[in-house]
Amino acid sequence: MDIHSTLKQYFSFDVFRSPQEEIIQGILSQRDMMVIMPTGGGKSLCYQLPALMQDGVTLVFSPLISLMKDQVDTLKARGIPAAALNSSLGAQEQDAIHRELTEGKLKLIYIAPERIRNQYFMELLSKVKVSLIAIDEAHCLSQWGHDFRPEYMHIPRVFPMLGNPPVAAFTATATPEVKLDIQKSLQLRNPVEFISGFARANISFQVDQVDSELDKYGKIDKLVQQWKTGIVYCATRKSVENVFMNLQDRGYSVVSYHGGLDEKSRSFAQEQFMRKKFDVAVATNAFGMGIDRSDIRFVAHFEMPGSIEALYQEAGRAGRDGDESVYKLLFNYADKRVQEFFLEGSNPGKMLITQVYELLKDSSDEKNEVHLSIDEIRELLGKRVNPMAIGTAISALAKKRNIERFDVPGQRKRGTRILTPRVLGYSLDLSDKELEEKKRRDEKKLKAVIDFAYTSSCRQQWILRYFGEAGSSACGNCDSCKNRTVSTFRAGTDDEALIVKKLLSGIARMSDQLDDGSWVPSFGRNKIIQCLLGSRAQPILSFGLDKLSTYGILSDEKKKYLENLFRELEREGLIQTVEGEFPMVSLTSHGSRVMFGKGDYSLNWPARETAVLIGSRPNSFLVNASDNSQGLDEGLLKKMKDKRAQLARARGGAPSYTIFPNKVLERLATDKPTDVEIAKQIPGIGEVKARKFLPTFLKIVKEHLIFED
Ligand code: ADP
Ligand code: ZN
């Protein structure tokens, strides 16, 4: 039975959701998989269906008994033999499942990671064929995720005793760090990756550049008037209070929520908002866990958040009911300061952590206890320290078990106990490198928010690409999409698309590609353009750039046109400028796909004037070929012969030599000219044939030089 009839027969669905089919095919071809889809996207089918089509049993790791039970019940109702082993079962029930397993009757068995400590079970399992190990909620493997479960880390230990079957990881968390953690912990072998389904089509993403608070209040006012129900996220408690007062003064139905409010006020705000007693919540990011009010029509950030992850998660609380909604970022570059303050606060260096530790130790009594508030510590350390950083330092020490915090009965202050009084500050187990790395990652996340605010490309698409979801098209619903007039924003003509491909290839040739497919730039925009134009400028020649196969491939174009094109390609996220001492340009992963003809894009295409051809220009490819000639290019020759055969067939089976004789093709495949005038000098190419056939063959040469060389 094929996968379509299995889908129909067992699951009663008519069609696969994208990309379920590809995922299933990947699993059936025994590849390791990394699948990231939002909750409700349809992940479980991706391992349940192949389980039915393969010999043996599919082992599913799942974190919660209730989740397993639901899944198994549904499977059984569909006539699929499945079982979940967990601690809630009695001995007899467990025995029954064990028996079914050894008798080969089960297609799927669900377990929690703790189960692998059960030796008896593992022995049974190692005697049957395990066709696939599926790991549900795989983000539980990542310390970066919101739900790290140490038990998950032991899962890979059982792979060898089960004969190292293919492993498929499933999660709804799309951040790059989590993904990397999962891949590493599971040691996935060259996994096929799928990230999809994160688009929120019913949310219109918008960024407004604002100059002042007053400006912001005006915008929020408009939002509330137009959309009525929503959440305004603020970066600080103070800002929450200000915005709250402002909205309340204007007579809106509004609650406020932040960590500084007492427990009672917070739960009041949350409950009343959830019960739709109020329209608007003004809150810090502390508000949100478990907010699933479905009729939230707008979400706004009064100040920029610290990451796209936070932005998208919070924006995503709008429009859960699927109705039209809006997300608005009120962007003022100056607000970056607030986030920088947080960034500093959550990334104390080794020095500060050590200082805090020493101070706590020095101030502790004979029981190794100390009662200092953060403000007091700050006072003792000197006023200029970021108070938040002290809090983070204390948490870091507590996490490493150098200290522990405890409540003091009858006091609001918490006490601190030194657990390692004999350990000196400088020998604390702290890696400067790790701390630095985390800080850099946080900085990168903040920078992404700024980039997002300034992009003029589709905001939804931009976010999806940030999370690694490729292949989405412009949403048509965000401010960028709506600001575009149809006439200027469009897909390219064939000519334009070829120019873009050449331009991207030129950039690729002038950068390095890493093993993970990302690009490291080595040249700036001007050098790349000069090279593409075939400039004889000294720096180009001295770098040997005239030896590149992409040298001069856009010599028909005007410099201005290429500059404009660079700008538009950057806006659309096909290329990126990496700032540094000298700004340098490289491809993005999207650009990389487009270069290989695998990605769609639209541009505000700049006007194109071609350079006038005067006589025959020096042909760079010819120069190039004779400079470092490796003689006849067999690959290219084969392509041309194939083309010739095709042309011959199209002419009712005319003899090949009536198109071009072998000799001519061999010369073309040796000299690799790209210019008609120059190629015509090859003996055997007359005026008529040149007109009729040369362009076709020169196109092959060009493409070969771009992609194969
Ligand atoms: P996830 O595990 O990604 O959160 P589920 O696997 O629970 O999502 O699927 C969510 C819902 O979508 C389920 O009710 C499931 O039956 C349904 N579903 C999955 N695949 C299809 C499909 N191809 N056609 C129709 N419904 C589907
Ligand atoms: Zn858009």
Side-chain angles (χ1 to χ4, degrees):
M1 196 155 49
D2 69 1
I3 64 173
H4 292 276
S5 23
T6 312
L7 178 72
K8 184 90 190 134
Q9 179 169 338
Y10 283 95
F11 298 90
S12 318
F13 299 142
D14 294 323
V15 285
F16 287 105
R17 284 186 193 156
S18 140
Q20 284 174 331
E21 187 171 354
E22 288 95 321
I23 294 169
I24 291 168
Q25 242 126 27
I27 291 179
L28 290 176
S29 60
Q30 310 299 307
R31 292 285 302 268
D32 281 358
M33 309 290 289
M34 173 89 206
V35 177
I36 305 175
M37 274 195 234
T39 307
K43 290 185 282 296
S44 26
L45 183 83
C46 300
Y47 56 84
Q48 289 169 347
L49 193 147
L52 290 173
M53 303 189 61
Q54 305 199 86
D55 280 345
V57 66
T58 289
L59 176 66
V60 185
F61 285 97
S62 176
L64 299 175
I65 295 180
S66 56
L67 279 180
M68 289 184 215
K69 206 175 156 322
D70 284 353
Q71 293 236 6
V72 169
D73 288 347
T74 321
L75 287 168
K76 281 183 174 162
R78 291 181 162 143
I80 299 168
L85 266 179
N86 58 59
S87 50
S88 75
L89 301 176
Q92 269 184 341
E93 289 167 298
Q94 300 207 12
D95 278 347
I97 294 176
H98 288 156
R99 212 169 321 115
E100 284 182 308
L101 176 68
T102 39
E103 286 169 6
K105 287 188 179 150
L106 291 177
K107 292 285 31 164
L108 292 119
I109 184 157
Y110 284 73
I111 59 171
E114 290 81 352
R115 179 72 30 174
I116 61 177
R117 281 186 272 158
N118 183 324
Q119 289 220 341
Y120 176 67
F121 170 69
M122 286 314 296
E123 252 165 56
L124 289 183
L125 196 61
S126 64
K127 289 194 187 115
V128 302
K129 179 174 162 49
V130 175
S131 56
L132 171 74
I133 297 176
I135 296 167
D136 207 2
E137 314 290 343
H139 59 270
C140 294
L141 278 158
S142 170
Q143 308 245 22
W144 291 103
H146 48 87
D147 197 12
F148 175 61
R149 286 165 192 256
E151 286 292 338
Y152 258 71
M153 299 301 277
H154 300 304
I155 294 177
R157 283 196 205 155
V158 306
F159 296 170
M161 73 179 95
L162 302 179
N164 289 312
V167 176
F170 297 85
T171 176
T173 308
T175 65
E177 286 99 1
V178 172
K179 199 177 78 183
L180 211 67
D181 269 359
I182 295 173
Q183 228 147 302
K184 265 199 219 148
S185 315
L186 293 178
Q187 291 156 31
L188 297 183
R189 297 150 290 191
N190 186 22
V192 190
E193 227 182 82
F194 284 94
I195 305 183
S196 75
F198 286 92
R200 292 293 309 275
N202 63 320
I203 302 179
S204 168
F205 289 85
Q206 304 179 2
V207 179
D208 288 3
Q209 313 280 337
V210 284
D211 302 326
S212 65
E213 293 290 279
L214 210 63
D215 206 1
K216 287 184 180 182
Y217 286 130
K219 303 263 184 192
I220 293 290
D221 196 51
K222 266 202 191 140
L223 270 178
V224 184
Q225 274 185 32
Q226 187 185 352
W227 298 91
K228 192 156 179 272
T229 53
I231 306 175
V232 183
Y233 280 106
C234 300
T236 65
R237 295 169 183 184
K238 194 164 164 16
S239 175
V240 168
E241 274 156 18
N242 291 341
V243 177
F244 171 71
M245 303 264 260
N246 180 280
L247 289 176
Q248 206 173 39
D249 285 351
R250 304 178 73 84
Y252 293 118
S253 150
V254 50
V255 291
S256 69
Y257 186 107
H258 61 69
L261 298 172
D262 59 41
E263 176 63 37
K264 223 176 101 200
S265 322
R266 273 182 295 162
S267 48
F268 172 83
Q270 175 146 354
E271 273 166 32
Q272 296 296 305
F273 183 71
M274 292 286 281
R275 290 200 194 131
K276 309 191 180 178
K277 297 276 194 281
F278 288 87
D279 293 335
V280 179
V282 184
T284 58
N285 59 6
F287 187 68
M289 286 306 194
I291 292 291
D292 56 2
R293 180 171 168 178
S294 64
D295 67 338
I296 295 171
R297 292 273 69 81
F298 77 85
V299 166
H301 275 115
F302 200 76
E303 290 99 5
M304 69 178 90
S307 67
I308 296 293
E309 284 86 343
L311 182 150
Y312 202 51
Q313 187 178 40
E314 283 154 13
R317 302 209 161 100
R320 291 270 168 94
D321 54 9
D323 286 352
E324 201 188 333
S325 312
V326 64
Y327 166 75
K328 192 168 293 271
L329 170 59
L330 298 178
F331 183 78
N332 183 339
Y333 186 82
D335 293 339
K336 185 171 165 231
R337 274 297 309 142
V338 182
Q339 288 303 335
E340 281 167 345
F341 177 81
F342 290 151
L343 207 148
E344 203 182 278
S346 47
N347 291 288
K350 185 174 177 170
M351 171 108 121
L352 181 63
I353 301 176
T354 310
Q355 282 174 344
V356 170
Y357 177 71
E358 290 285 7
L359 183 81
L360 289 169
K361 246 177 63 165
D362 290 348
S363 328
S364 64
D365 57 20
E366 67 285 356
K367 285 192 296 186
N368 291 316
E369 287 176 10
V370 46
H371 301 261
L372 287 174
S373 70
I374 288 189
D375 279 338
E376 287 162 341
I377 296 175
R378 187 170 177 230
E379 200 83 36
L380 290 166
L381 284 174
K383 278 231 177 265
R384 292 171 57 86
V385 184
N386 181 328
M388 198 181 144
I390 298 173
T392 313
I394 290 176
S395 311
L397 289 166
K399 213 168 147 192
K400 295 256 180 201
R401 302 298 296 157
N402 293 109
I403 63 171
E404 94 187 333
R405 307 270 281 158
F406 59 90
D407 290 320
V408 188
Q411 275 203 37
R412 281 186 54 197
K413 260 203 291 212
R414 297 186 75 199
T416 304
R417 189 175 295 118
I418 314 289
L419 297 175
T420 54
R422 267 188 280 281
V423 173
L424 298 172
Y426 67 81
S427 51
L428 281 174
D429 171 28
L430 295 169
S431 155
D432 232 353
K433 194 168 149 256
E434 252 171 57
L435 293 167
E436 270 300 310
E437 239 166 55
K438 179 176 172 297
K439 185 164 180 213
R440 258 201 304 277
R441 237 186 331 242
D442 287 354
E443 284 165 352
K444 237 173 105 181
K445 287 184 175 175
L446 178 56
K447 181 169 179 298
V449 175
I450 314 263
D451 289 348
F452 169 77
Y454 285 130
T455 187
S456 59
S457 67
C458 171
R459 309 245 185 228
Q460 173 75 82
Q461 213 177 12
W462 193 100
I463 293 173
L464 295 178
R465 277 193 209 127
Y466 176 84
F467 289 122
E469 180 173 337
S472 62
S473 43
C475 75
N477 195 17
C478 69
D479 53 356
S480 309
C481 284
K482 283 183 173 159
N483 285 340
R484 267 181 188 132
T485 52
V486 188
S487 60
T488 58
F489 193 75
R490 55 175 172 80
T493 62
D494 285 354
D495 273 355
E496 285 168 334
L498 183 63
I499 290 171
V500 165
K501 267 193 177 179
K502 289 180 179 178
L503 188 151
L504 295 175
S505 318
I507 297 173
R509 274 280 176 276
M510 292 172 78
S511 5
D512 296 309
Q513 195 169 25
L514 301 180
D515 286 345
D516 69 357
S518 61
W519 296 91
V520 181
S522 3
F523 289 96
R525 192 190 64 165
N526 289 337
K527 289 247 164 40
I528 296 172
I529 291 181
Q530 279 182 317
C531 178
L532 289 167
L533 290 170
S535 154
R536 310 291 305 166
Q538 197 48 46
I540 297 294
L541 301 181
S542 59
F543 274 115
L545 297 176
D546 56 329
K547 305 285 190 297
L548 292 176
S549 58
T550 47
Y551 177 77
I553 43 171
L554 287 175
S555 51
D556 283 350
E557 306 306 321
K558 283 261 175 75
K559 180 159 165 268
K560 187 83 205 143
Y561 176 64
L562 295 186
E563 284 170 356
N564 290 338
L565 204 50
F566 257 72
R567 193 192 55 235
E568 292 305 324
L569 289 173
E570 176 142 29
R571 280 192 181 160
E572 280 315 300
L574 276 74
I575 65 180
Q576 62 192 354
T577 303
V578 180
E579 300 296 339
E581 200 181 341
F582 308 101
M584 298 189 291
V585 179
S586 74
L587 299 185
T588 60
S589 55
H590 182 46
S592 210
R593 275 189 300 279
V594 169
M595 178 175 77
F596 291 112
K598 289 184 192 139
D600 290 334
Y601 62 98
S602 292
L603 288 187
N604 262 320
W605 290 93
R608 178 172 170 233
E609 305 160 56
T610 31
V612 188
L613 278 174
I614 310 166
S616 71
R617 288 163 296 109
N619 185 298
S620 52
F621 288 121
L622 211 54
V623 174
N624 187 11
S626 50
D627 270 2
N628 53 356
S629 172
Q630 275 125 31
L632 177 66
D633 186 333
E634 294 287 351
L636 177 56
L637 182 62
K638 168 146 195 335
K639 283 185 201 167
M640 290 200 274
K641 283 188 171 167
D642 288 349
K643 186 52 152 194
R644 185 176 62 179
Q646 192 192 339
L647 289 174
R649 268 196 308 278
R651 276 150 214 284
S656 297
Y657 66 81
T658 59
I659 295 170
F660 281 136
N662 281 352
K663 250 209 171 82
V664 167
L665 294 193
E666 278 159 18
R667 264 301 286 277
L668 286 170
T670 306
D671 293 345
K672 304 181 192 174
T674 56
D675 187 295
V676 175
E677 288 311 312
I678 296 207
K680 262 176 21 191
Q681 290 160 22
I682 294 174
I685 304 183
E687 202 49 64
V688 178
K689 280 192 189 177
R691 208 162 349 104
K692 244 183 177 165
F693 301 122
L694 249 191
T696 312
F697 286 91
L698 294 190
K699 193 161 160 247
I700 297 177
V701 173
K702 280 184 213 169
E703 280 166 4
H704 185 81
L705 285 166
I706 294 172
F707 297 116
E708 305 289 338
D709 190 22

